[in-house]
Amino acid sequence: DAKTTQPPSMDCAEGRAANLPCNHSTISGNEYVYWYRQIHSQGPQYIIHGLKNNETNEMASLIITEDRKSSTLILPHATLRDTAVYYCIVLGFNTNAGKSTFGDGTTLTVKP
Amino acid sequence: NAGVTQTPKFRVLKTGQSMTLLCAQDMNHEYMYWYRQDPGMGLRLIHYSVGEGTTAKGEVPDGYNVSRLKKQNFLLGLESAAPSQTSVYFCASSYPTEQYFGPGTRLTVT
């Protein structure tokens, strides 16, 4: 399974964009990049996913490099409620039936 | 839709006792997963299932067994609980795109 590497922690000022990086240099051609977040001890919450193209939804944007070896999750206007642990994972449902390793994620702290 | 539910929410076991955690989903998802999360760490996959009647081992399967007799239910069993199994257990299901997680079961083994 492709592994991901994320910085352990980041800070962001409220109202500013939060850019969370992820390295996934061993990603295979049919594997997707998924982002989740976990607030306190709740179950992880899906944010966004992508294969090759950049993606945007109501929560965030996902920028994937052309070689697909890294990606960046962008929260355009971070709020205090976005303080959470953010996980970047790689999933290939055709190759490994959706098995995923979450790693330790990035703890994002949004400050007033 | 209730989404993914887990029973129980909390449980305290003594070493050597057994128990079963129940995960139920009402989204008709094919894939279901069991994870554990220890303090300050990410989620680790215990077992997963790609359909009714099928199960497979994940990253940390030792000490656990699972069954998927019905599509909507995924059971996680601890035959002889150990203190090392003290953790928060999360169940998830997927179609197979994004995973939907349950609220978790906090298990303490003394």
Side-chain angles (χ1 to χ4, degrees):
Chain A
D1 299 340
K3 301 296 184 185
T4 62
T5 304
Q6 299 177 253
S9 63
M10 293 182 64
D11 291 341
C12 178
E14 187 178 19
R16 303 297 293 269
N19 298 296
L20 289 86
C22 179
N23 287 322
H24 31 79
S25 59
T26 61
I27 192 170
S28 299
N30 58 357
E31 291 181 319
Y32 289 75
V33 179
Y34 278 73
W35 283 84
Y36 289 81
R37 72 180 183 184
Q38 187 175 27
I39 298 174
H40 296 300
S41 55
Q42 299 174 21
Q45 175 192 23
Y46 165 80
I47 301 173
I48 198 167
H49 74 281
L51 182 63
K52 295 180 181 179
N53 300 321
N54 298 337
E55 302 287 344
T56 296
N57 62 20
E58 64 278 4
M59 290 182 66
S61 294
L62 175 61
I63 308 298
I64 302 175
T65 58
E66 191 169 344
D67 63 7
R68 303 211 320 125
K69 294 185 177 181
S70 64
S71 61
T72 301
L73 177 74
I74 301 172
L75 307 177
H77 305 287
T79 70
L80 299 179
R81 288 177 294 180
D82 291 323
T83 292
V85 179
Y86 288 78
Y87 296 99
C88 164
I89 62 173
V90 171
L91 287 175
F93 292 96
N94 291 330
T95 56
N96 60 9
K99 288 191 301 178
S100 55
T101 300
F102 272 66
D104 294 334
T106 295
T107 298
L108 174 68
T109 303
V110 181
K111 299 184 175 181
Chain B
N1 287 351
V4 179
T5 58
Q6 294 184 231
T7 308
K9 289 184 171 54
F10 303 93
R11 184 72 185 269
V12 178
L13 287 179
K14 295 186 186 302
T15 298
Q17 288 184 319
S18 63
M19 78 163 293
T20 300
L21 282 66
L22 171 63
C23 176
Q25 53 96 3
D26 61 2
M27 297 173 282
N28 203 35
H29 286 169
E30 290 293 336
Y31 293 8
M32 296 187 74
Y33 313 80
W34 275 108
Y35 295 89
R36 62 176 287 173
Q37 185 174 35
D38 299 327
M41 298 180 66
L43 284 76
R44 291 184 292 171
L45 184 64
I46 304 172
H47 286 281
Y48 66 101
S49 169
V50 300
E52 182 178 324
T54 70
T55 64
K57 295 180 179 179
E59 193 182 353
V60 289
D62 294 342
Y64 305 95
N65 57 74
V66 288
S67 64
R68 183 101 181 267
L69 299 180
K70 294 183 178 180
K71 186 177 185 179
Q72 63 268 33
N73 296 336
F74 195 28
L75 279 63
L76 178 71
L78 287 74
E79 292 184 346
S80 179
S84 61
Q85 294 178 303
T86 293
S87 190
V88 180
Y89 292 84
F90 289 103
C91 173
S93 71
S94 68
Y95 177 65
T97 54
E98 63 265 26
Q99 294 182 359
Y100 293 83
F101 283 82
T105 295
R106 189 172 299 274
L107 175 66
T108 302
V109 183
T110 61

